[in-house]
């Protein structure tokens, strides 16, 4: 996801799409929100991100919530746990926790923020029924409040009262492409919807138009298999051209790193 977000950011810059910017998804996960230091780092990054891109209409934030696919947990992890009980000498508790953590955190959604309008749009390819977003909402509201009160910005007041209750994001669950229940390709859906939104931003200058765009994407998207295959090809091309090639935007001299490691070992 991080490579895709970085590539889309360079595409936005090269194609001169001025109204949108993409956040680095590295820190954007619910695991960080559950710890004081992680939350502090997320808030610091988002505040700087909002400040540096104050003229942008849309801030796209890939986010990874804690979310367990019920069917996956029931039919894979639970039987797997029973098996491990019989071969416990080969499996450590820490390894089991790691496997569960992978299942729990293996989900991606896309957030679209409009700070000046106090709007946050959630694009979730599973709709995450019953998901509690309160930690994320609190963080975003804190960022918006501090951004408005300490950095000299003016945003809409959408709540009556005083203090932080006056300034908060309106939370909108946007219609979008939906993955099959047994699918594990949420990251692909988040990438597809990120790309679609970027190329539609010029037409999405009003709240009603954004909602209508979501309905159209949900109802009129092409065959899922073809889209995912096209995206896989695109990602492979990015890796080959921009990461592995010495002329690529994200190239890292792996041979040099390897030789340095060998020198440090000798």
């Amino acid at each position: 996801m991080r490579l895709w977000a970085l590539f889309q950011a360079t595409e936005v810059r090269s194609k001169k799409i001025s109204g949108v910017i993409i956040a680095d998804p590295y820190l954007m996960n619910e695991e960080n929100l559950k710890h004081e230091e992680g939350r502090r780092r997320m808030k610091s990054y988002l505040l700087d991100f909002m400040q540096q891109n104050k003229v942008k209409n849309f801030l796209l934030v890939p986010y990874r919530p804690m979310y367990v696919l019920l069917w996956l947990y029931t039919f894979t992890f639970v039987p797997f746990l029973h098996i491990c009980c019989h071969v416990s000498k080969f499996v450590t508790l820490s390894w089991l926790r790691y496997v569960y953590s992978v299942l729990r955190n293996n989900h991606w959604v896309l957030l679209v923020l409009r700070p000046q309008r106090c709007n946050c749009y959630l694009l979730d390819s599973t709709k995450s029924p019953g998901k509690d977003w309160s930690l994320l909402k609190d963080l975003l509201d804190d960022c918006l409040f501090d951004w408005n009160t300490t950095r000299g910005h003016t945003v809409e007041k959408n709540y009556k009262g005083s203090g932080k209750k006056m300034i908060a994001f309106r939370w909108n669950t946007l219609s979008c492409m939906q993955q099959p229940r047994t699918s594990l390709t949420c990251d692909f859906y988040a990438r597809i919807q990120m790309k679609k939104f970027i190329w539609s931003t010029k037409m999405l200058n009003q709240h009603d138009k954004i909602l209508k765009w979501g309905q159209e994407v949900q109802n009129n998207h092409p065959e899922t298999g073809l889209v995912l295959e096209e995206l896989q090809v695109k990602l492979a091309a990015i890796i080959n051209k921009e990461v592995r090639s010495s002329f690529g935007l994200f190239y890292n001299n792996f041979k040099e790193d390897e030789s340095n490691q060998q020198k440090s070992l000798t």
Side-chain angles (χ1 to χ4, degrees):
M1 179 60 76
R2 198 179 188 193
L3 174 61
W4 180 257
L6 183 59
F7 177 74
Q8 289 301 311
T10 60
E11 287 283 280
V12 165
R13 193 177 300 113
S14 64
K15 304 297 182 183
K16 297 181 178 180
I17 304 174
S18 58
V20 64
I21 193 73
I22 307 161
D24 185 349
Y26 179 69
L27 294 174
M28 301 297 114
N29 62 78
E30 191 173 349
E31 187 72 36
N32 276 336
L33 281 180
K34 291 182 176 292
H35 302 91
E36 183 177 349
E37 177 61 20
R39 189 184 191 280
R40 185 196 64 77
R41 293 175 65 193
M42 285 181 69
K43 182 178 177 180
S44 175
Y45 172 80
L46 284 173
L47 271 173
D48 289 341
F49 180 66
M50 292 166 67
Q51 173 67 15
Q52 293 168 10
N53 300 286
K54 57 187 177 183
V55 298
K56 302 294 184 182
N57 293 324
F58 300 102
L59 311 181
L60 306 189
V61 182
Y63 176 76
R64 191 172 61 183
M66 289 182 177
Y67 175 62
V68 178
L69 293 173
L70 184 59
W71 72 267
L72 181 65
Y73 178 80
T74 303
F75 295 106
T76 59
F77 185 74
V78 173
F80 178 73
L81 188 60
H82 286 298
I83 294 173
C84 289
C85 289
H86 298 286
V87 289
S88 56
K89 62 180 180 180
F90 302 109
V91 181
T92 63
L93 181 59
S94 60
W95 192 79
L96 285 175
R97 286 174 177 167
Y98 170 75
V99 172
Y100 178 72
S101 176
V102 170
L103 291 177
R104 183 179 62 177
N105 291 293
N106 191 28
H107 186 56
W108 283 98
V109 300
L110 180 65
L111 303 172
V112 178
L113 306 180
R114 300 192 75 186
Q116 290 87 350
R117 300 295 179 89
C118 293
N119 276 325
C120 173
Y121 301 93
L122 170 67
L123 287 83
D124 183 0
S125 59
T126 64
K127 294 296 185 185
S128 299
K131 173 63 182 172
D132 181 10
W133 299 97
S134 58
L135 289 176
L136 177 61
K137 290 180 180 180
D138 288 343
L139 173 71
L140 294 177
D141 290 345
D142 283 351
C143 289
L144 185 65
F145 181 82
D146 290 352
W147 184 69
N148 181 71
T149 56
T150 64
R151 308 206 177 191
H153 299 287
T154 302
V155 300
E156 294 179 350
K157 309 294 191 299
N158 57 325
Y159 291 104
K160 293 182 179 180
S162 61
K164 291 191 175 183
K165 290 185 178 179
M166 286 187 68
I167 302 172
F169 276 106
R170 301 183 190 90
W171 188 264
N172 304 275
T173 301
L174 197 62
S175 298
C176 60
M177 295 174 64
Q178 294 297 292
Q179 65 190 79
R181 278 191 171 185
T182 56
S183 171
L184 294 176
T185 53
C186 54
D187 54 334
F188 285 105
Y189 282 84
R191 291 170 186 151
I192 292 167
Q193 289 170 153
M194 179 191 298
K195 182 179 179 181
K196 283 180 174 291
F197 193 91
I198 288 171
W199 290 99
S200 304
T201 50
K202 289 184 178 180
M203 301 179 291
L204 304 178
N205 56 354
Q206 296 177 3
H207 175 70
D208 291 343
K209 291 183 178 180
I210 296 173
L211 298 182
K212 184 178 179 181
W213 173 87
Q215 289 287 349
E216 291 175 352
V217 168
Q218 183 175 10
N219 297 331
N220 301 319
H221 65 80
E223 186 179 341
T224 302
L226 295 177
V227 174
L228 294 181
E229 184 177 349
E230 178 184 348
L231 189 57
Q232 287 173 324
V233 172
K234 184 66 176 177
L235 281 170
I238 293 170
I239 292 171
N240 285 325
K241 182 179 178 181
E242 307 295 355
V243 179
R244 296 185 63 191
S245 170
S246 58
F247 299 100
L249 288 172
F250 318 128
Y251 174 71
N252 184 18
N253 195 336
F254 297 108
K255 291 183 179 179
E256 182 180 341
D257 291 345
E258 197 174 297
S259 62
N260 290 336
Q261 289 177 5
Q262 289 177 351
K263 288 179 182 178
S264 65
L265 292 174
T266 56

